[in-house]
Coordinates of all heavy atoms in Angstrom, one line a residue:
K17 N 65.3 85.1 115.2 CA 65.5 84.9 113.8 C 66.8 85.5 113.3 O 67.4 85.1 112.3 CB 64.3 85.4 113.0 CG 63.1 84.6 113.1 CD 62.0 85.1 112.2 CE 60.8 84.2 112.2 NZ 59.7 84.8 111.3
N18 N 67.3 86.6 114.0 CA 68.5 87.2 113.6 C 69.7 86.5 114.2 O 70.8 87.1 114.2 CB 68.5 88.7 113.9 CG 67.6 89.5 113.0 OD1 67.5 89.2 111.8 ND2 66.9 90.5 113.5
G19 N 69.5 85.4 114.8 CA 70.6 84.6 115.3 C 70.9 84.6 116.8 O 71.9 84.0 117.3
S20 N 70.1 85.3 117.6 CA 70.3 85.4 119.0 C 69.8 84.2 119.7 O 68.6 84.0 119.8 CB 69.7 86.7 119.6 OG 69.8 86.6 121.0
R21 N 70.7 83.4 120.3 CA 70.3 82.2 121.0 C 69.7 82.6 122.4 O 68.9 81.9 122.9 CB 71.5 81.3 121.2 CG 72.1 80.7 119.9 CD 71.2 79.7 119.2 NE 71.1 78.4 119.9 CZ 71.8 77.4 119.7 NH1 72.7 77.4 118.8 NH2 71.6 76.2 120.3
E22 N 70.2 83.7 122.9 CA 69.6 84.2 124.2 C 68.1 84.5 124.0 O 67.3 84.1 124.8 CB 70.3 85.5 124.6 CG 69.7 86.1 125.9 CD 70.3 87.5 126.2 OE1 71.3 87.9 125.7 OE2 69.6 88.1 127.1
Y23 N 67.7 85.2 122.9 CA 66.3 85.5 122.7 C 65.5 84.3 122.2 O 64.3 84.2 122.4 CB 66.2 86.7 121.7 CG 66.4 88.0 122.5 CD1 67.7 88.6 122.6 CD2 65.4 88.6 123.2 CE1 67.9 89.7 123.4 CE2 65.6 89.7 124.0 CZ 66.8 90.3 124.1 OH 67.0 91.4 124.8
E24 N 66.2 83.4 121.6 CA 65.5 82.1 121.3 C 65.1 81.4 122.6 O 64.0 80.9 122.7 CB 66.4 81.2 120.5 CG 65.8 79.9 120.0 CD 66.8 79.1 119.2 OE1 67.6 79.6 118.5 OE2 66.7 77.8 119.3
S25 N 66.0 81.4 123.6 CA 65.7 80.9 124.9 C 64.6 81.6 125.6 O 63.7 81.0 126.2 CB 67.0 80.8 125.7 OG 66.7 80.3 127.0
R26 N 64.6 82.9 125.5 CA 63.6 83.8 126.1 C 62.2 83.5 125.4 O 61.2 83.4 126.1 CB 63.9 85.2 126.0 CG 65.0 85.7 126.9 CD 65.3 87.2 126.7 NE 66.4 87.6 127.5 CZ 66.6 88.8 127.9 NH1 65.8 89.8 127.5 NH2 67.7 89.1 128.6
L27 N 62.2 83.3 124.1 CA 61.0 83.0 123.4 C 60.4 81.7 123.9 O 59.2 81.6 124.2 CB 61.3 82.9 121.9 CG 60.1 82.6 121.0 CD1 59.1 83.7 121.0 CD2 60.6 82.4 119.6
I28 N 61.3 80.7 124.1 CA 60.8 79.4 124.6 C 60.3 79.5 126.0 O 59.2 78.9 126.3 CB 62.0 78.4 124.6 CG1 62.4 78.1 123.1 CG2 61.7 77.1 125.4 CD1 63.8 77.4 123.0
N29 N 60.9 80.3 126.8 CA 60.5 80.5 128.2 C 59.1 81.1 128.2 O 58.3 80.8 129.1 CB 61.5 81.2 129.0 CG 62.7 80.4 129.3 OD1 62.8 79.2 129.1 ND2 63.8 81.1 129.7
R30 N 58.9 82.1 127.4 CA 57.6 82.8 127.3 C 56.5 81.8 126.9 O 55.4 81.8 127.5 CB 57.6 84.0 126.4 CG 58.4 85.1 126.9 CD 57.7 85.8 128.1 NE 58.6 86.8 128.6 CZ 58.5 87.3 129.8 NH1 57.5 87.0 130.6 NH2 59.3 88.2 130.2
L31 N 56.8 81.0 125.9 CA 55.8 80.0 125.4 C 55.5 79.0 126.5 O 54.3 78.7 126.8 CB 56.3 79.3 124.2 CG 56.4 80.2 122.9 CD1 57.0 79.4 121.8 CD2 55.0 80.7 122.5
G32 N 56.5 78.6 127.2 CA 56.3 77.6 128.3 C 55.5 78.2 129.5 O 54.7 77.6 130.1
Q33 N 55.8 79.5 129.7 CA 55.1 80.2 130.8 C 53.6 80.3 130.4 O 52.7 80.1 131.2 CB 55.7 81.6 131.0 CG 55.1 82.3 132.2 CD 55.8 83.6 132.5 OE1 56.1 84.4 131.5 NE2 56.1 83.9 133.7
L34 N 53.3 80.6 129.2 CA 51.9 80.7 128.7 C 51.3 79.3 128.9 O 50.1 79.2 129.3 CB 51.8 81.1 127.2 CG 51.9 82.6 127.0 CD1 52.2 82.9 125.5 CD2 50.6 83.3 127.5
R35 N 52.0 78.3 128.5 CA 51.4 76.9 128.6 C 51.1 76.5 130.0 O 50.1 75.9 130.3 CB 52.4 75.9 127.9 CG 52.2 74.4 128.2 CD 50.9 73.9 127.9 NE 50.7 72.5 128.1 CZ 50.4 72.0 129.3 NH1 50.2 72.7 130.4 NH2 50.3 70.7 129.5
R36 N 52.1 76.9 130.9 CA 51.9 76.6 132.3 C 50.7 77.3 133.0 O 50.0 76.8 133.7 CB 53.2 76.9 133.1 CG 53.0 76.5 134.6 CD 54.3 76.7 135.4 NE 54.0 76.3 136.7 CZ 54.9 76.5 137.7 NH1 56.0 77.2 137.5 NH2 54.6 76.1 138.9
C37 N 50.6 78.6 132.6 CA 49.6 79.4 133.3 C 48.2 79.5 132.7 O 47.3 79.9 133.3 CB 50.1 80.9 133.4 SG 51.7 81.0 134.3
C38 N 48.1 79.1 131.4 CA 46.8 79.2 130.7 C 46.4 77.8 130.3 O 47.1 77.1 129.6 CB 47.0 80.1 129.5 SG 47.6 81.7 129.8
P39 N 45.2 77.4 130.7 CA 44.7 76.1 130.3 C 44.6 75.9 128.8 O 44.9 74.8 128.3 CB 43.3 76.0 130.9 CG 43.1 77.2 131.7 CD 44.2 78.1 131.5
H40 N 44.4 77.0 128.1 CA 44.3 77.0 126.6 C 45.1 78.2 126.2 O 45.0 79.3 126.8 CB 42.9 77.0 126.1 CG 42.0 75.9 126.6 ND1 42.1 74.6 126.2 CD2 41.1 75.9 127.6 CE1 41.3 73.9 126.8 NE2 40.6 74.7 127.7
M41 N 45.9 78.0 125.1 CA 46.7 79.2 124.6 C 45.7 80.3 124.2 O 44.7 80.0 123.5 CB 47.5 78.8 123.4 CG 48.7 77.9 123.8 SD 49.9 78.8 124.7 CE 51.3 77.6 124.7
P42 N 45.9 81.5 124.6 CA 45.0 82.6 124.3 C 44.9 82.8 122.8 O 45.9 82.9 122.1 CB 45.7 83.8 124.9 CG 46.6 83.3 125.9 CD 47.0 81.9 125.4
Q43 N 43.6 82.9 122.3 CA 43.4 83.0 120.9 C 43.9 84.4 120.4 O 44.3 84.5 119.2 CB 41.9 83.0 120.6 CG 41.3 81.6 120.7 CD 41.9 80.6 119.7 OE1 42.0 80.9 118.5 NE2 42.5 79.5 120.2
E44 N 44.0 85.4 121.3 CA 44.5 86.7 120.8 C 46.0 86.6 120.5 O 46.5 87.5 119.8 CB 44.3 87.7 122.0 CG 42.8 88.0 122.3 CD 42.3 87.0 123.3 OE1 43.0 86.0 123.7 OE2 41.1 87.1 123.7
L45 N 46.7 85.6 121.0 CA 48.1 85.4 120.7 C 48.4 84.3 119.7 O 49.5 83.9 119.5 CB 48.9 85.1 122.0 CG 48.9 86.2 123.0 CD1 49.5 85.7 124.3 CD2 49.6 87.4 122.5
K46 N 47.3 83.8 119.1 CA 47.5 82.6 118.2 C 48.5 82.8 117.1 O 49.3 81.9 116.9 CB 46.1 82.3 117.6 CG 46.1 81.0 116.8 CD 44.7 80.7 116.3 CE 44.8 79.4 115.5 NZ 43.4 79.0 115.1
E47 N 48.5 84.0 116.4 CA 49.4 84.2 115.3 C 50.8 84.3 115.8 O 51.7 83.7 115.2 CB 49.0 85.5 114.6 CG 49.9 85.8 113.4 CD 49.4 87.0 112.7 OE1 48.2 87.3 112.7 OE2 50.3 87.7 112.1

């Protein structure tokens, strides 16, 4: 949000990793 494209990419990679490894996104991380 502060403009770092590197961390935007890292954020995307973490979300993709969660999607790949978890059949359903964990409710504890919903927010």
